[in-house]
Amino acid sequence: MATLKEKIGYGFGDMSSSMFWKIFSYYLPIFYSNIYGLSLADTGVLLLATRIWDAVSDPMMGVIADRTQTRWGKYRPYLLWISLPFAVCGVLLFTTPDFGATGKLVWAYITYMLMMTVYTAINVPYGAMLGVMTDDSDTKTVFSSYRMFFAYGGSFIALFAWEPLCAWFKEMTGSLTVSWQYSMIVIAVFCFVIFLLCFSMTREYIKSVSTVSIGKDIKSLLANIPWWLLIGAALCSNLFSTVRGATAAYFFKDYIGDGIFLSLGDFSLLFYAGLFLSVGEVSNMIGVVLAVPLSRSLGKKSTYISTMGALAVLSILFFYLPCTPLGFWLMLVMQVVISVCTGIVSPLVWSMYADVSDYAELKDGTASTGLIFSSSSMAQKFGGAFGGAAVMWILAAFGYNTAEGAAQTEEALTGLNLLMSWIPAAVAVLAMIVVYFYPLTTKRVAEVDEKLKKIRAASYE
């Protein structure tokens, strides 16, 4: 039986990863286009190219991790080895060098590719740990829920603090570019510490050894139909979140405007992107708590489909909210409900990957947990790559002007609203269609678990 310490420790790992990931996804696009000085087109290509390389490197890391043998286990030692490079690369990513246009573009490519490679080196083994910490499907969902609860908690801290940190350091240094670098140093130090805590508080219990070659591992993976369908589902759910998140800073800057306050009687609350996004992260945490009872009651597949259907409807409704005091409150409420739904989906996907890993081990004798979990990271990054790049290109297509203080056209403002509503709604519908064909039902997963327990018990005798 997993201890509370292990569940919290496992959660710390994605708390660290998510703090970085959310800042990259939500603030790096506007940093590159409005502060660093890249064009929207260059930013879009940069986001796409670097994350595609990063996504391709995920299976490589999965294969390496599957064949790692240390006294700490297969996957856990990477939390210790990579945590410092992870923090350092994050700071370099938000460092603006005193170069010309070409030099800055080269620096952006090098630092972003380096950061995403290091992210892969720590996050793929971290995700694969779920497959060797327990052999019980329901317990995997519990671990996944702790993981996502802490992930959203970390994201809340990072997103809520980011803009105030940047403003504080800007006031201290008088430099906008330096303020973003210093803010990242604060976040990076925190992430380094909690990755070390994740390492110290967790253990690997399941010893699985692949009986086939790397080539057969990959062949088995490519023939695994549930894996392909889950890749599609994870890609869609990450694309949904990335499109809305990467648009939010632009949406608030130009569609909502500066200096908007929400009235709370004698008090008022500044309505800005950081508040909107951080409220979403807290709401995600509520969704994570709901994921376990809902999946136990309805099954993982049905819960996923129902939740994505709700996201499609809610996203469409968001398009029609007016820019009025009541409309601003409704936007915040809608963000809460949408984020509760995305919070339900996230742990389901990670738990379903563990089920796919067990299915592959039973079907083909491939103990390729790292390879399979690397695909989840790959889907996350492809979703981030296409989502971030699509936002840049759609904004450019609608004539968005990145110049400081520029007044946006009605067409550009419509594009911003579509990116927060109809476009993510279409992605949610696609996710529903993909998961409809996913074959690992609750009954089938229980059968796989039971057969695997007998095989593993026999191998230990």
Side-chain angles (χ1 to χ4, degrees), residues 27-38:
Y27 285 102
L28 195 59
I30 199 169
F31 170 74
Y32 278 142
S33 67
N34 290 32
I35 297 171
Y36 190 84
L38 300 183

Side-chain angles (χ1 to χ4, degrees), residues 44 91 107 124 217 248 274 312 414:
V91 176
W107 173 266
V124 166
D217 267 357
T414 298

